[in-house]
Amino acid sequence: MRSKKMKKSDIAFQTVNYLFFGLFTIACIFPFYYLFINTISSNDLSSAGYVTFYPREVHFNNYLNVLKIDGLAEAAFVSIYRTVVGTLLTVAASAFLGYLFTKQDMWLRKIWYRMIIITMYFSAGLIPWYITMHNLGLTNNYLAYILPTVITPFNIILVKTFVEALPPSLEESAALDGAGYTRIFASIVVPLITPILATITIFSAVTQWNSFIDTAFLMTDTKYYTLQFLLWRYLNESTSLAALIRNSQDMAASMQHMQTPGSVRMTVTMIVVLPILIIYPFFQRFFVKGILIGAVKG
């Protein structure tokens, strides 16, 4: 059967719908596009506000010069390290704890669960947090980036709700064959909860990658600085940093390629944001399904 012709009201709705979301998409993408075209355009034109919709006098010296800043490579390694290790441990802990909290015979299940959930609503504050981290020896220590985020209540709730939506018969049949909780979790549950694991992977990775406050309070040794912390410092010191880069550049270089405070801010920002922009699309297909099923019990 041929599909019925769309009514004029349906056509109007679809047109407005596509137009609205198209404009919304452009509004979300344009800031990143604007940032990028200004980093590859003439710095003089960019500073004067002449670069708006397309790059002018394209060059990549901004990236080459910013990448030469002392400590940037080490900071990038620290950020990658904390993001990869911290995300893996957070996802593993959230997955296993979320699964265990669905088991009625878990020892003191309700008490442990409530103790974890209550941390979502109450916090001791910044000073007690710093004193605790200092007493635990987590100042100037890589573990300060990883241990505090391993147990994340929100992620545990998502996994728990997702697991509860699975058919109980799958676990029951495996239990009848003699499989224990660990075997059931690894062989049956994990493959079925991939969407929610991908979702909390995004949450954890973005949180780890963007974090810099813990560095500001806990790290005094420069070898523990993260890329985001350096970005924060460079945003505050971009004028002096631009002068430092200009002094190190060849004086014969063309003026439009000379570093300005604005070019330093935008280039460093682009370097920090780019990895997340590249990784996120690969997890997007899991994201919507995972967050919907993990948030609403089926």
Side-chain angles (χ1 to χ4, degrees), residues 12 19 37 71 87 92 110 134 162 195 203 218 228 248 253 268 271-272 283 285 295:
L19 182 62
I37 62 175
T87 299
K110 292 184 178 180
H134 180 74
F162 198 104
F203 290 160
L218 300 176
Q228 288 66 31
S248 65
V268 176
I271 291 174
V272 171
F283 291 89
R285 64 192 184 98

Side-chain angles (χ1 to χ4, degrees), residues 23-298:
L23 293 175
F24 182 75
T25 301
I26 293 174
C28 293
I29 295 176
F30 184 75
F32 298 103
Y33 172 75
Y34 177 81
L35 195 68
F36 177 68
I37 62 175
N38 274 272
T39 60
I40 63 173
S41 298
S42 167
N43 293 334
D44 285 347
L45 295 177
S46 177
S47 298
Y50 294 127
V51 180
T52 306
F53 297 107
Y54 56 89
R56 301 179 62 179
E57 300 182 18
V58 176
H59 69 96
F60 295 93
N61 289 350
N62 287 337
Y63 290 94
L64 296 177
N65 291 325
V66 167
L67 290 175
K68 295 177 183 178
I69 297 175
D70 290 339
L72 197 68
E74 293 80 2
F77 171 79
V78 174
S79 291
I80 294 173
Y81 169 81
R82 73 171 295 178
T83 300
V84 173
V85 178
T87 299
L88 289 176
L89 291 178
T90 299
V91 172
S94 300
F96 194 63
L97 286 175
Y99 168 69
L100 287 182
F101 284 131
T102 64
K103 304 300 140 190
Q104 298 294 331
D105 53 348
M106 176 184 175
W107 179 65
L108 299 178
R109 180 178 70 96
K110 292 184 178 180
I111 295 178
W112 292 120
Y113 186 64
R114 289 170 181 170
M115 288 179 64
I116 291 177
I117 299 304
I118 200 172
T119 60
M120 295 179 63
Y121 304 100
F122 299 98
S123 173
L126 181 61
I127 295 177
W129 168 79
Y130 174 79
I131 293 174
T132 299
M133 298 292 283
H134 180 74
N135 290 338
L136 292 175
L138 294 179
T139 55
N140 288 326
N141 191 328
Y142 286 118
L143 293 178
Y145 292 140
I146 298 170
L147 293 182
T149 60
V150 170
I151 306 299
T152 306
F154 181 69
N155 293 344
I156 294 174
I157 294 174
L158 291 179
V159 175
K160 178 178 179 292
T161 309
F162 198 104
V163 173
E164 288 174 342
L166 299 177
S169 58
L170 295 175
E171 295 186 42
E172 291 172 356
S173 60
L176 291 174
D177 292 334
Y181 286 138
T182 305
R183 180 63 182 273
I184 293 174
F185 171 76
S187 301
I188 297 177
V189 175
V190 170
L192 295 175
I193 64 173
T194 301
I196 197 63
L197 294 185
T199 300
I200 64 177
T201 297
I202 295 175
F203 290 160
S204 301
V206 171
T207 300
Q208 289 282 7
W209 183 259
N210 290 334
S211 181
F212 70 94
I213 292 298
D214 47 5
T215 306
F217 284 103
L218 300 176
M219 307 302 172
T220 57
D221 192 333
T222 56
K223 72 177 182 180
Y224 297 104
Y225 285 178
T226 62
L227 199 59
Q228 288 66 31
F229 179 72
L230 286 185
L231 169 63
W232 176 68
R233 289 186 59 186
Y234 292 161
L235 291 178
N236 295 327
E237 304 170 2
S238 55
T239 301
S240 58
L241 186 63
L244 178 63
I245 295 177
R246 283 199 301 268
N247 292 335
S248 65
Q249 289 177 330
D250 184 4
M251 296 304 295
S254 57
M255 290 300 296
Q256 67 268 26
H257 294 172
M258 298 296 282
Q259 293 291 315
T260 65
S263 69
V264 172
R265 286 196 297 266
M266 289 186 288
T267 305
V268 176
T269 302
M270 199 66 201
I271 291 174
V272 171
V273 171
L274 194 60
I276 294 297
L277 294 179
I278 294 174
I279 294 174
Y280 184 82
F282 294 99
F283 291 89
Q284 176 63 29
R285 64 192 184 98
F286 298 105
F287 184 80
V288 175
K289 179 181 177 182
I291 196 66
L292 287 178
I293 299 178
V296 182
K297 182 175 180 180

